[in-house]
Amino acid sequence: MTAQQPLTYDAFVELAATDQAVVGLVLKGSRAHEGMTTEYSDHDLYVVLTEGVATTLTRFTGHRTSELDLVILTLDEFRAAGMPGFERYALARARIVLDRLDGGIAQIVAAKARLDAGEAFRDAGQWLDAYANSLYRSIKNNRDGHALAARLDGVDSMRFLLELLFTFDRRPRPYNKYLEWELGRYPLPGWDTRKLLAAVDRISRTGDASAQRCLFSHVEAQARRAGHGAVLDAWGEDLDLMRPH
């Protein structure tokens, strides 16, 4: 394409569909999230190639414009993408544009959307401890009159909390941009989405200690049901500061 004729998404998809080296096209980002597209949204496209098959499409490696952002990789590289990593959520909610593997590309994407049970249990324990740490610091700073520190620790605790709650459900945490979108369509079991988002909003803005304690009471119950009592009990008497008074 010339400078006067930039490569468009539709033109590239048409080109890739005629290339037998391409086994999959996967669209991620706002274009894959219904209702999230704006005038500024580009097309983030994964181009999955068969290993060892020659193709001229590799000339588009690194291509990035306001219209089209391409990631060109082999099938094995696509399987490994985001496992683990920041891209996992984006790929978990990606849209399949082309699948020449009779559903094989879709199966790879589906696997990224579901954490392995062992992985989820291990990660949940780590996120729970991180959440408790920031929660404890926030409430203690609130008690001691350090308002800014309390708010900042409250923000940190919400980040760890969201990681924890999605890990409990064996799902990658959505990016902040897609949090409301995700919960509106796929609520977390046992949680009222409206109340949860309201609590996250309030705590992030104010570091409110009573709101944090109330939220922790629900988290503690879920964590113990999930087998993470030892992580909580390691906090000993400090749990009293975190619990509702």
Side-chain angles (χ1 to χ4, degrees):
M1 297 293 173
T2 67
Q4 290 73 35
Q5 295 177 303
L7 181 63
T8 67
Y9 169 76
D10 289 336
F12 182 82
V13 169
E14 183 178 353
L15 179 65
T18 65
D19 192 321
Q20 292 306 305
V22 178
V23 293
L25 296 173
V26 179
L27 184 67
K28 70 182 181 87
S30 58
R31 297 278 180 181
H33 288 71
E34 182 182 0
M36 293 297 292
T37 303
T38 73
E39 60 181 303
Y40 306 106
S41 299
D42 64 355
H43 294 80
D44 295 296
L45 189 68
Y46 272 78
V47 184
V48 187
L49 305 177
T50 300
E51 191 79 54
V53 177
T55 174
T56 61
L57 293 183
T58 54
R59 72 185 186 276
F60 294 112
T61 298
H63 178 90
R64 185 170 188 176
T65 67
S66 59
E67 156 76 8
L68 182 61
D69 186 358
L70 297 176
V71 177
I72 299 176
L73 70 181
T74 66
L75 183 59
D76 285 344
E77 289 171 335
F78 182 65
R79 284 195 181 96
M83 302 289 281
F86 189 67
E87 286 289 280
R88 186 163 186 172
Y89 173 76
L91 289 167
R93 292 293 178 222
R95 179 163 66 84
I96 309 302
V97 178
L98 176 68
D99 187 344
R100 284 205 175 103
L101 300 182
D102 296 325
I105 296 295
Q107 289 177 358
I108 293 172
V109 169
K112 297 178 189 297
R114 188 71 172 163
L115 276 63
D116 174 82
E119 172 191 16
F121 186 85
R122 180 193 68 240
D123 290 353
Q126 296 171 352
W127 291 125
L128 175 60
D129 198 46
Y131 163 62
N133 188 292
S134 289
L135 166 66
Y136 176 73
R137 291 175 182 275
S138 179
I139 291 178
K140 190 167 64 170
N141 282 323
N142 215 316
R143 178 198 65 191
D144 296 341
H146 304 302
L148 175 60
R151 291 197 301 272
L152 293 175
D153 285 325
V155 170
D156 287 344
S157 76
M158 292 301 93
R159 177 169 69 89
F160 296 133
L161 171 68
L162 290 172
E163 294 282 4
L164 172 63
L165 296 185
F166 279 96
T167 301
F168 277 153
D169 199 33
R170 293 175 58 184
R171 291 154 59 185
R173 176 196 162 181
Y175 306 149
N176 293 332
K177 176 180 179 179
Y178 301 120
L179 177 62
E180 292 176 277
W181 185 97
E182 179 78 15
L183 290 178
R185 290 158 176 78
Y186 310 99
L188 290 165
W191 289 88
D192 181 301
T193 294
R194 183 184 61 81
K195 291 180 180 179
L196 174 60
L197 289 174
V200 169
D201 179 43
R202 180 173 179 79
I203 292 166
S204 297
R205 286 187 295 106
T206 69
D208 185 280
S210 61
Q212 294 197 67
R213 289 187 174 110
C214 180
L215 189 57
F216 178 71
S217 68
H218 297 287
V219 176
E220 179 176 12
Q222 183 174 13
R224 291 190 183 280
R225 288 194 301 269
H228 295 286
V231 175
L232 292 166
D233 292 338
W235 282 86
E237 294 181 356
D238 290 335
L239 284 173
D240 294 335
L241 191 66
M242 306 180 207
R243 291 168 171 154
H245 290 173

